[in-house]
């Protein structure tokens, strides 16, 4: 009798929405985000947080570390104390995570690695990993410039190249730098004359370009490891009375809408795609794990394009597409 009454009360509560029907999979999903340095990062946060918040029965536990490793370590320890069900993690830099990630493992909280992967990846347990192929992105940046120069008859001309790097020690910076430098070997006409961090932000990109324009004669090509720095540099180039996209060839990375706009305006030449839209991957992964599926530890790289003024530059692994043809579809 008592059981019946309870069942009745429960059914009534469910009808009026007091109890979510999916109480069996009420999950707390924690995300330790790096900060908010770029358009890419904003889109990444929106994609992941939006997906989790929209999912029935899932609760988001979010922390923005404001670019500080110690804040990320604190956040991870808080997630453990709270007993969350999943942890999503990207590291502002790649070193120094052994201890805290071992604590996550000891607490047996499934760890999903996204974006910037930690150096200790082979020594920790994780259930899935997803992010850009940074070395390939860096290779594509330089290859685009090299192939473009060939296409306009400047393949044998000696050109001065500067590399504006992302946050020092971030896997997105070390990987892209590795790819940039390896590809430069393939284009002997491209001479590296400057290499400095702009920390993945517009403001620092502008400041670094300002100082380069004062100290280096004749910069022909700027490789900026993200679009925000390229956009900051464009402001500096204009302020110095030069024409971005013509006097200086500019290749960014990420493929955010603001970069497409700069390309369409003729002020930037190309951007290598690195998608920030991780929400669907996170959702699929957690759903699969909840269904008892085994995941493998393979690092999943999304398929990504290259966008420029006219399209048609062949980079071996990908052929570029004109930014004007895709700009309307870009949501970030
Ligand atoms: O390219 C940059 C961001 O880690 C892939 O970080 C990410 C990079 C992205 O701030 O814009």
């Amino acid at each position: 009798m008592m059981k019946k009454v309870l069942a009745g009360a429960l059914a009534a509560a469910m009808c009026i929405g007091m109890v979510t029907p999916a109480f069996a999979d009420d999950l707390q999903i924690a995300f330790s985000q790096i900060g908010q340095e770029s358009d890419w990062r904003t889109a990444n946060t929106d994609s992941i947080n939006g997906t989790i918040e929209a999912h029935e029965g899932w609760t988001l536990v979010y922390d923005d570390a404001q670019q500080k490793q110690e804040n990320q370590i604190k956040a991870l320890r808080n997630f453990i104390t709270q007993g969350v069900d999943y942890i999503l993690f990207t590291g502002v830099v790649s070193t120094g995570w052994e201890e805290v990630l071992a604590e996550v493992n000891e607490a047996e909280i499934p760890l999903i690695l996204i974006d910037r992967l930690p150096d200790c990846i082979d020594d920790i347990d994780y259930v899935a990993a997803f992010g850009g192929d940074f070395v390939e992105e860096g290779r594509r940046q330089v290859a685009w410039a090299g192939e473009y120069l060939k296409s306009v008859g400047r393949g044998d001309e000696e050109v001065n190249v500067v590399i504006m790097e992302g946050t020092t020690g971030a896997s997105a910076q070390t990987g892209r730098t590795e790819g940039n430098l390896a590809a430069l070997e393939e284009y002997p006409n491209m001479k590296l004359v400057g290499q400095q961090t702009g920390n993945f932000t517009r403001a620092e990109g502008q400041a670094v370009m300002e100082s380069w324009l004062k100290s280096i004669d004749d910069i022909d090509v700027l490789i900026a490891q993200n679009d925000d720095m390229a956009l900051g540099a464009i402001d500096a180039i204009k302020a110095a009375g030069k024409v971005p996209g013509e006097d200086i060839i500019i290749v960014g990375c990420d493929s955010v809408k603001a970069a497409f706009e700069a390309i369409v305006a003729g002020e930037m030449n190309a951007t290598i795609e690195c998608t920030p839209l991780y929400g669907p991957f996170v959702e699929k992964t957690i759903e699969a794990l909840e269904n008892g599926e085994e995941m493998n530890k393979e690092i999943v790289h999304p398929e990504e394009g290259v966008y420029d003024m006219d399209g048609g530059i062949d980079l071996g692994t990908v052929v570029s597409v004109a930014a004007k043809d895709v700009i309307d579809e870009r949501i970030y």
Side-chain angles (χ1 to χ4, degrees):
M1 176 63 190
M2 194 58 194
K3 259 198 195 148
K4 253 197 191 154
V5 173
L6 271 179
L10 195 62
M14 276 168 72
C15 284
I16 57 171
M18 284 168 65
V19 177
T20 33
F23 46 72
D25 61 30
D26 242 356
L27 298 177
Q28 285 207 319
I29 299 162
F31 176 22
S32 169
Q33 178 61 294
I34 287 166
Q36 320 172 32
E37 72 281 2
S38 63
D39 286 4
W40 187 98
R41 190 65 52 196
T42 307
N44 181 248
T45 304
D46 291 351
S47 172
I48 294 173
N49 291 4
T51 302
I52 294 170
E53 281 169 337
H55 199 289
E56 211 176 308
W58 291 5
T59 305
L60 173 70
V61 182
Y62 178 70
D63 185 86
D64 172 344
Q66 304 187 359
Q67 311 296 326
K68 293 203 178 85
Q69 181 167 37
E70 73 248 36
N71 289 349
Q72 284 204 277
I73 292 173
K74 259 190 231 147
L76 290 167
R77 291 193 170 133
N78 284 337
F79 296 161
I80 296 172
T81 313
Q82 282 179 59
V84 300
D85 298 287
Y86 287 90
I87 291 179
L88 307 173
F89 173 69
T90 171
V92 62
V93 290
S94 54
T95 55
W97 300 108
E98 292 79 357
E99 201 179 315
V100 71
L101 293 182
E103 291 169 25
V104 169
N105 284 168
E106 272 156 38
E108 294 182 7
I109 301 171
L111 176 65
I112 300 174
L113 302 174
I114 51 176
D115 178 27
R116 302 185 189 169
L117 305 179
D119 273 359
C120 61
I121 186 162
D122 293 332
D123 305 320
I124 54 165
D125 278 332
Y126 60 93
V127 289
F130 182 82
D133 183 345
F134 302 137
V135 178
E136 171 64 8
E137 289 163 5
R139 185 196 73 78
R140 289 177 176 186
Q141 289 195 290
V142 167
W144 187 91
E147 294 303 320
Y148 171 71
L149 285 165
K150 280 188 201 166
S151 76
V152 294
R154 297 175 66 188
D156 294 324
E157 181 186 322
E158 185 165 291
V159 294
N160 288 340
V161 180
V162 287
I163 297 178
M164 195 179 284
E165 298 184 0
T167 304
T168 305
S171 68
Q173 175 269 323
T174 51
R176 286 175 189 160
T177 301
E178 185 187 329
N180 289 159
L181 298 179
L184 279 175
E185 304 276 310
E186 308 292 319
Y187 299 92
N189 64 312
M190 297 174 75
K191 207 173 106 214
L192 184 61
V193 295
Q195 193 177 358
Q196 203 178 310
T197 183
N199 237 335
F200 282 133
T201 69
R202 238 177 238 228
E204 285 187 57
Q206 181 172 356
V208 169
M209 194 69 207
E210 256 165 35
S211 85
W212 272 339
L213 287 166
K214 287 184 195 137
S215 60
I216 304 171
D217 289 336
D218 259 347
I219 297 172
D220 298 296
V221 177
L222 163 65
I223 302 294
Q225 288 179 358
N226 82 346
D227 288 335
D228 286 73
M229 294 189 295
L231 295 164
I234 288 172
D235 290 340
I237 294 168
K238 284 188 194 164
K242 291 190 188 277
V243 184
E246 284 181 28
D247 295 338
I248 301 179
I249 294 167
I250 302 169
V251 184
C253 191
D254 286 348
S255 301
V256 295
K257 193 165 192 130
F260 285 180
E261 282 161 0
I263 292 172
V264 171
E267 296 184 339
M268 185 165 160
N269 302 77
T271 178
I272 309 304
E273 188 171 31
C274 174
T275 186
L277 304 180
Y278 291 5
F281 167 80
V282 166
E283 184 168 47
K284 256 197 273 152
T285 302
I286 296 175
E287 280 175 352
L289 290 162
E290 287 298 301
N291 287 332
E293 286 171 37
E294 281 278 320
M295 305 291 291
N296 66 34
K297 285 183 136 195
E298 194 192 322
I299 299 169
V300 179
H301 296 308
E303 224 175 273
E304 296 170 321
V306 173
Y307 304 96
D308 58 16
M309 307 100 85
D310 299 316
I313 300 283
D314 187 352
L315 302 181
T317 50
V318 64
V319 177
S320 68
V321 168
K324 64 176 181 322
D325 295 340
V326 288
I327 189 165
D328 291 339
E329 296 152 27
R330 185 93 333 179
I331 55 163
Y332 53 89

